[in-house]
């Protein structure tokens, strides 16, 4: 079983604006550099994506994979898990949003666990996860704060 890595960032926006950007999976190729394409395969009764296929090109790591999403009713978290992947054996992730102060700032915590088909030394895997999460959080912050 893969270990989890966690990182947080503070975004100058209320949680609902951040979650709207997270939930707009079709727009990820516009702002998430490694995501080349997304395809919504299934939506829930609430209209939110339930299964999404991603085409990823992060330099040496290229993959096509499908994730299944679980959106919290309170709008403050979303989790996902791998359904199918070419390079990944498993992926579990989660965004948790925590309003700060008057609600115009939000702490976004990203947790990720990835296990690849090919074995990878733990130190290298953790470094790759840290880079993925750091980039994802910074790109999310830039996207949300740029949409004012």
């Amino acid at each position: 079983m893969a270990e989890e890595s966690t990182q947080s960032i503070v975004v100058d926006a209320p949680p609902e604006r951040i979650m709207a950007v997270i939930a707009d999976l079709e727009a990820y190729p516009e702002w998430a550099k490694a995501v080349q394409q997304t395809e919504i395969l299934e939506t829930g009764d609430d209209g939110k994506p339930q299964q999404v296929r991603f085409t990823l090109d992060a330099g040496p790591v290229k993959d096509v994979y499908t994730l299944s999403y679980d959106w919290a009713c309170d709008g403050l978290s979303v989790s996902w898990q791998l359904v199918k992947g070419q390079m990944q054996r498993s992926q579990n992730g989660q965004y948790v949003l925590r309003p700060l102060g008057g609600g115009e700032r939000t702490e976004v915590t990203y947790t990720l666990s990835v296990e690849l088909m090919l074995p990878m030394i733990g130190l290298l895997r953790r470094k790759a996860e840290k880079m993925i999460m750091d980039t994802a959080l910074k790109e999310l912050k830039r996207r949300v704060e740029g949409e004012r």
Side-chain angles (χ1 to χ4, degrees), residues 85-105:
Q86 294 175 352
M87 288 188 63
Q88 299 175 65
R89 179 172 286 126
S90 70
Q91 180 185 144
N92 293 293
Q94 180 179 40
Y95 280 113
V96 176
L97 310 182
R98 185 173 63 89
L100 301 173
E104 287 303 310
R105 298 178 76 223

Side-chain angles (χ1 to χ4, degrees), residues 4-142:
E4 288 184 345
S5 297
T6 300
Q7 282 190 40
S8 297
I9 196 167
V10 174
V11 178
D12 292 328
E16 54 274 2
R17 190 157 82 217
I18 298 166
M19 191 56 75
V21 170
I22 292 170
D24 187 6
L25 289 151
E26 290 178 311
Y28 276 37
E30 296 172 15
W31 60 271
K33 293 176 187 152
V35 179
Q36 300 298 297
Q37 182 179 6
T38 57
E39 181 184 356
I40 309 297
L41 303 176
E42 186 180 318
T43 56
D45 294 337
D46 59 1
K48 289 186 178 162
Q50 295 298 304
Q51 280 206 8
V52 182
R53 180 181 301 123
F54 289 82
T55 302
L56 183 78
D57 185 350
V61 178
K62 295 172 180 30
D63 198 7
V64 176
Y65 58 95
T66 302
L67 299 178
S68 174
Y69 285 85
D70 183 21
W71 303 90
C73 295
D74 65 5
L76 295 177
S77 68
V78 59
S79 60
W80 61 88
Q81 63 183 9
L82 183 72
V83 174
K84 181 171 71 170
Q86 294 175 352
M87 288 188 63
Q88 299 175 65
R89 179 172 286 126
S90 70
Q91 180 185 144
N92 293 293
Q94 180 179 40
Y95 280 113
V96 176
L97 310 182
R98 185 173 63 89
L100 301 173
E104 287 303 310
R105 298 178 76 223
T106 305
E107 179 184 61
V108 179
T109 300
Y110 183 14
T111 302
L112 181 65
S113 171
V114 176
E115 186 178 358
L116 299 175
M117 298 283 191
L118 299 172
M120 181 181 276
I121 297 170
L123 179 66
L124 291 175
R125 183 188 50 77
R126 283 189 297 279
K127 186 175 179 179
E129 283 177 357
K130 181 184 178 336
M131 185 185 74
I132 290 166
M133 290 190 309
D134 187 58
T135 301
L137 285 171
K138 286 178 180 173
E139 289 175 340
L140 174 65
K141 178 180 174 74
R142 194 172 13 250

